[in-house]
Structure formats: structure tokens, C-alpha cells
Amino acid sequence: MEAAGNLVNLGFEVYLIERTNRLGGNVANWYCLFPDFKPSSKVVEQLKPAIQNKVQFRFGAEVCKTEKKGNKHLLHLNDGEVLECDAVVVASGFSLFDAHRKEEYGYGIYDNVITSADLEKQLAENHTVMTTQHKAPRKIAFIHCVGSRDHKVGNAYCSKVCCVTGVKQAIEVAKMHPEAEIYSFYMDLRMYDRQFEDLYMEAQTQHNVRFIRGRLSECFENADKTILLKAEDTLSGKPFRLSVDMVVLLVGMQADQSLKHISDMFALKTSDDRFLSVADVHTSSIYSGVEGVYLAGACTGPKSIHETLNSARAAALSTAIYLNQN
Amino acid sequence: MKVEGKARIWKNYQKEIPDNDFFYVRSCVRQNFFPGAETTFLRIMKDELGINVYDDPAHTSCTGIGYHADIVPFDTTMTVVARQFALMTEKGFKNMIPSCITSFGLYTEILETWEHHPEVLEKARKYLKEATGRTFEIPENLSHASDVIFKFRHKIAERAKYKLINKYTGKPLRVVEHIGCHYAKMFPSKGVGGAEYPYVLTGMVESFGGEIVDYPERRSCCGFGFRQYLVMANRGYTIANTKKKFDSMDPYKPDCIVTNCPGCPMFLDKGQYAIAELEGRVYGDGKYGIPVLTFEELAGIVLGYDPWDIGLQVHQIPVEPLLDKIGVEYDKSAKYKGIGGRDLGKPQHSKLIKAYIE
């Protein structure tokens, strides 16, 4: 959306090809955003005016095949339409890690094991969080790094934003259920950006969120549908068990499956982490290395919203410079 | 608990199990712990299913217990296992089925090592040749004996005389399945259903009419843990772990436990006696404890085999309450009679765990 809006502003004709039938990508599925708890819907709404009635939307569309005709890219869509373009900005985003793959955590098997995305959905729909048995949770555990920094699932990289997402969600739940005990299991807390550390401190000092350095070993369901956690507190060096009413798995970002197809079509390179490679990680992080193809957002790796929007603006500017020169 | 969630995982862990022609390798310890189990397996395979199984008296221990106790080095273990494969090759078989879970895990570990490090395979071939003059082929298929019973579970169910249904209530019997740690925890893809929610015993129990009890300590070890039990100073860990499992499963009121490992039925069966003596607690109905069966014994029971022919009299926890629930006909007076009616003598019983037949 941001790249399209910027290119329209710079005077170019833009097609926006969207796989789903709505705008906003993953952000539209979120309730509120770190670090200021701004509703995510407001961010999506803020981006819309720059493109509404200004770009040519193709909803429910996917690029099936591409051809090169001189300097032009011919994009064949799934409905048979062919778009002739002078440049392409890939902004296909990311997928969330499929928590079913961490079998030992019991997602999809134990009723009260949910993901961070499920929690956002609950919050967006109900403005509160309840167990599957419709009870207010008295004990909740947040599990960091689910599907991130985990060689076992093939995702060795850090997803960057889950740490602060976990802190944000812990604060949200604490505000809704002040009496609840909230635990947060982490291996590192990477509060890398402005105000993140403040949120982390707020969680501890104002909401009594208990941060436990230790990765969860496994989950089980007790007879009363509470979840028994087996974990280790690596600071005290002791294994322990804890029963909670609800477990929230902070699922990381991973390269969307569509990236394989996209990289094949445009002859783009991918990295070991399956995200798209960039021409130069320092000086050209929005250029694919293939003439006329630019990269915006999380298709090149995990990013926060402001990082995504900045890369979209940079991609739009680079695209504009390329178009003006050709 | 969503069963469909488990079924989703089971689909990811399908395993190829051959139809016929198996080279069977027995366990070192099962014939002492539960002497009828392996005989029952062979009887089911040959008499019920008409399957060609070769039980070679020349095979030896795989050294698994010594290996996991850190007293037998890997090269030695590998050479001994290579010899088992040589016996299989010499007899013209390509499918190996170990009776023991630890053997199965160890053979899997060695085969995986050889696949990824061919130079180690060459070393094993060299050692075996030098030591015995033998050569060997790698098995085309390695399945555990419980995999094979799982594969034929529907056929066994068709031939069954009894179902795992409580004749007093008409409801399915509630069965705890306990999987040996070395079955799939090391190599999840080698076990039916994977490591976290194994299906191998669950599938059997369901086919025989029972229902599975899941409980929080399901995945925990029986307590054996090799170095826990083999090192005398660590044995407290063994009984503590066994107790933890029973404390966790008891509220679910299981009718019995079924296992697929040599050590697990031993520790879950005898452990109940030890816990009763140490803690004064008897699980299950508070009188007899929770019966513990091997998967072969379970299959033998539903097929209507005489309980004393399949060795159920050597269990610490009396199995008669379970047999009565199923409706099995048996001769109470023959429990401690051996072949030809020979008197085997009666064991001493715990003061707390009652003997079923006084």
C-alpha cells in the first residue's frame, strides 16, 4: 500500500495485485500495535487515502507467470489478464509460523494453547480474552520464540518483533485481568527499538508480569483443561512445572510459501532463511539485483511496521528513479 | 483435547511396514521379565496371521543397555549390530523386527549414522569381517514388533474372541498407552504417529475396542532411564519418576496400561508394589493396582489365549480384575501351574496390593 501510494504521488500509473480480497495484510489481523497500543485498523486506514481511487486494484489475484518483452514485464494473472509493467515492486509480506509444527506444545490439540495471532483475533472481536471454557484466565503463560531461532524447525533467524509483541500482549491482558498471574518464558528479550525497553519495564513494574528465562519444554492438558508446562528457569538452573489456564505461543515470521514461486518467476535469489535476497544488505536493501524489480517490506525478512513502511518508501523512490532513467 | 488435532499429526508420521518375511531379534531381558510376551508374538504371527518369521537362536544382545550405560563403546555396539544384520542376510531376510525398543532405537541410530557417514559403515564392515569373517546387507526395512502388530491390528480384531469392552458397563475399557522412550523420541519419523503423540499402541487399543487415556505425564519415562536405574545411587529417580506417572494417570481411572518396551512394563508393574511398600498407596481401585500388559499380551488376551499360557501369572499386579471386566474365561486354579500341571509355587504378596486368588 505504501509503495503504491508513493509511486502514485510521484506520478506513475500503479497496479496493486492483492492475493486476498482486502487491504492491510497481516497488520489488518492485529488488534493494537506496539509500542503505543494504536489500533492496527487505524494504521491501515491511514494508508488507504493515498491509493484509493488512484491505483488500479486487482483483488483476489495472483501472478501465475511472467514474461520479459524488452524492458517490460508482462504479468499473467490467474484470471487470464496480462498486465504490462515497466517495473515491479514485490511486497508480498510474510507468513506466521505454523504452531502445529511445535508438536510438543499441543497447538490444535489442547484447547487452551493459542497463538499470538489467535489472541489478537480474540481481542479484536471481543476486546477481552477468555479461556475456551469462557472463563477469565487466572494464569497465562506467553512463550517467546515459537518458530524463531529454532534450528529444529528450520528457522534459525530471529523474528525481531515477537519479543515486544509478547510484552505488549502481556500488558493488554494484565490490564483486562489485573488479578491474573502472567508469565513470560524467553531465551533473550530483544528490546531493540525506541520505547520497547519502556514497555518491558512497564510490564514488570506496573503489571507484575513475571519474566522467566527458559525455553518451554512441553505442554500437557490437565483434566480441567488447564495446561501443565514443563520448563526450566535457566537463571536458577532448575526445572519446574507450572499449570496455567492459557498458553500464548508467540509465533514468528517466516517467508511466505508464495515467495518460492515469485523468486522463480522473476529469477530472484533467496537466502538460507527462504526470504528474498537483496542486492546489498548495506547500500541497496530494497533492490533485488534484477533490473526493474524492487523489494518492499517483510519479503526480505522480519520487519516492524515502521521498518516496512520505510522500506516501501525507499523501494518506491528507487523504482521512480529507475523509471525516469529508462 | 481435540482428537482431530492428533490425527493431523499422525498423518505426518506414516511408516512403511512390510507384509511378510521378518527376521525377529529377541530382547535380552523380556524373557525374564515377561516370559510369555515374545512367544505370544510368534504365535500370533505364525498361527493367526500366517506370516513367515525367523527366530534365530544365534543372535545376541545388541549391547543397548551397556551402550546407554556408557560401558560399551559405539564401535563395539556397531559391530555387534552388524553381526545381527549378517545373521539376517545369511538366512535370506531383508526385514528386521526387534522385540526390544532399545534395540530398535539403537539399530535406527546406527543405520542413520551409516547413511550420513558411509566411512563409519565401512569401518563396521571391516571390524565384523576381522572379528567373525562375516559380511552383511543393510536391512531394507526395520520395524519394531509393535509396528507389525499395529499393521495387522484389524486382522487381529477380526479374529478376536474378546473386545476391550467392560462387560459390566458396556463401555470401552480405558487404557493408558506407554511408549518406550527409544521408540520415536530419538527419530520421530521412524515411529508410527511420531514422538509426541505416538499412534502405534493407540491404534491397536482402538481396533480392539478400547479407548485411550491421555494424561499430563504421558510422555514421561517409566523411570527405568538406564543410568537412573543401573547406577544404584540413582535409583531414587527411577521410583520417583514411576510414582509421578501413576499420580498423574490415576485420576483418569485407567483399567490397564499397555506398553511396547521391555523395561516399561517391568517398572510400571513392579513399581506399583514398591510404591505401595514405600508410600502405602495402591493405585487403581486401591486394592489390586493397575494391570500392566505388553502389547503382545494384550493382543493374546483379545484373541482368547489362555492367560496363563501367555505368562500373565508372573505379573506383580494381578491381571484378573481386567480379565473379569473383559469377560475372559480362565481357570483360577491353574494360575501357578506350569507345563503339564507342574506346581510353580506361589509368590509372596504385598500386604497392601491384594492377590486376586488367595
Side-chain angles (χ1 to χ4, degrees), chain A residues 53-66:
Chain A
N53 304 318
K54 295 172 185 170
V55 308
Q56 299 188 46
F57 292 102
R58 296 291 185 274
F59 285 108
E62 287 183 68
V63 180
C64 303
K65 194 174 79 169
T66 60

Side-chain angles (χ1 to χ4, degrees), chain A residues 15 54 63-64 232 244 253 259 269 281 321:
Chain A
Y15 294 107
K54 295 172 185 170
V63 180
C64 303
E232 181 187 2
V244 297
M253 294 183 181
L259 272 192
K269 289 181 182 164
V281 292
I321 293 168

Side-chain angles (χ1 to χ4, degrees), chain B residues 83-105:
Chain B
R83 181 181 171 276
Q84 320 281 45
F85 293 157
L87 296 175
M88 178 199 75
T89 306
E90 288 162 15
K91 294 291 183 294
F93 285 85
K94 293 176 178 175
N95 306 319
M96 179 167 267
I97 38 169
S99 161
C100 171
I101 283 290
T102 291
S103 296
F104 174 72

Side-chain angles (χ1 to χ4, degrees), chain A residues 136-140 173-174 177-182 207-208 210:
Chain A
R138 292 160 303 167
K139 286 186 182 179
I140 304 162
V173 172
H177 301 288
E179 73 294 348
E181 291 175 26
I182 300 176
H207 304 291
N208 200 26
R210 297 156 205 213

Side-chain angles (χ1 to χ4, degrees), chain A residues 105-115 118 122 130-134 220-227 245-247, chain B residues 1-5:
Chain A
Y105 295 169
Y107 180 65
I109 295 176
Y110 305 139
D111 288 341
N112 287 308
V113 177
I114 65 171
T115 66
D118 296 332
Q122 270 205 42
M130 305 294 264
T131 68
T132 312
Q133 290 70 45
H134 308 292
F220 296 91
E221 190 176 78
N222 292 313
D224 62 358
K225 303 288 183 186
T226 59
I227 303 296
D245 297 313
M246 180 178 270
V247 173
Chain B
M1 187 93 61
K2 299 167 192 159
V3 177
E4 64 274 17

